[in-house]
Amino acid sequence: MDLHLETIIISIVSFLVLYWALSRYAFDKLFSIMEQRRLLVLKQLEDAKKTQEQATQYVEDQKAALNEARKEAYEIVERSKQTSSKQAEQILEEASNAVVRLKSEAVRDIESEKNKAVEALRSEIGTVSVKIASKLLEKEVNMDNTQEQLVDQYLKEVGGKS
């Protein structure tokens, strides 16, 4: 391989002319485009980082909202349990009060019926006693005023006793 000085000089001159032409017409535009591309990539990286941060924040917010919703649901369930417990106690108390009221009404009704029966018996005993006394008196007594007083007194005594 022979190196010729002319070829080397022509190559260096060609290279220098090419470099000068490229720097004069192409390098500025090329470097400008490359700088714009670099800025665009940096902006996209920054936007991606912001988007990732927003997504992370959104996920955290959603987790917090979900936890809050779970907490509220638990509180609602607990309030429902307490309300149902109170309602059950109230129903039991009302039922107990109704039983006491019905029992006292039944006792009053029984006492009333007992008193009516006693009064009916007294009335009947009085009537029967009068009939017996009148039959006995018819046999033994005339229509004397003293005997009539005795019968009235007897009727008063029978009617007044309990």
Side-chain angles (χ1 to χ4, degrees):
M1 183 161 169
D2 284 326
L3 289 179
H4 297 295
L5 187 59
E6 288 176 10
T7 310
I8 293 176
I9 292 177
I10 292 177
S11 295
I12 290 176
V13 170
S14 297
F15 178 76
L16 290 175
V17 169
L18 181 63
Y19 182 78
W20 174 79
L22 285 175
S23 68
R24 173 108 174 127
Y25 297 107
F27 282 155
D28 288 338
K29 291 180 183 177
L30 182 63
F31 288 143
S32 172
I33 291 172
M34 289 175 63
E35 182 64 22
Q36 288 175 355
R37 178 70 181 152
R38 185 182 72 82
L39 292 175
L40 179 66
V41 168
L42 287 175
K43 184 176 182 277
Q44 287 176 341
L45 285 174
E46 187 178 309
D47 290 345
K49 186 177 179 181
K50 286 180 184 177
T51 303
Q52 184 180 12
E53 289 172 357
Q54 289 173 348
T56 304
Q57 183 63 38
Y58 181 75
V59 167
E60 292 299 319
D61 291 346
Q62 291 302 314
K63 285 180 182 178
L66 181 61
N67 287 336
E68 185 67 25
R70 284 181 182 159
K71 182 180 176 184
E72 288 177 12
Y74 178 76
E75 289 173 358
I76 289 170
V77 167
E78 288 301 313
R79 276 186 268 149
S80 297
K81 285 180 183 177
Q82 290 173 355
T83 301
S84 65
S85 177
K86 287 179 184 177
Q87 287 176 345
E89 289 174 6
Q90 185 179 16
I91 289 170
L92 287 175
E93 185 178 333
E94 289 173 2
S96 176
N97 291 340
V99 166
V100 169
R101 189 184 78 251
L102 289 174
K103 183 179 175 184
S104 66
E105 288 176 3
V107 167
R108 279 195 308 262
D109 289 346
I110 290 170
E111 189 67 32
S112 174
E113 290 299 319
K114 179 181 139 188
N115 289 338
K116 287 180 186 176
V118 167
E119 287 300 320
L121 282 175
R122 280 186 187 157
S123 174
E124 190 141 339
I125 288 175
T127 306
V128 171
S129 297
V130 169
K131 286 182 184 177
I132 291 172
S134 66
K135 286 185 182 181
L136 287 175
L137 288 176
E138 281 178 14
K139 291 181 183 178
E140 294 182 13
V141 181
N142 299 342
M143 292 299 278
D144 191 6
N145 203 8
T146 34
Q147 291 174 352
E148 218 174 284
Q149 288 175 353
L150 285 174
V151 169
D152 286 339
Q153 182 183 354
Y154 176 72
L155 288 176
K156 287 180 184 176
E157 286 178 11
V158 168
K161 289 186 180 177
S162 302

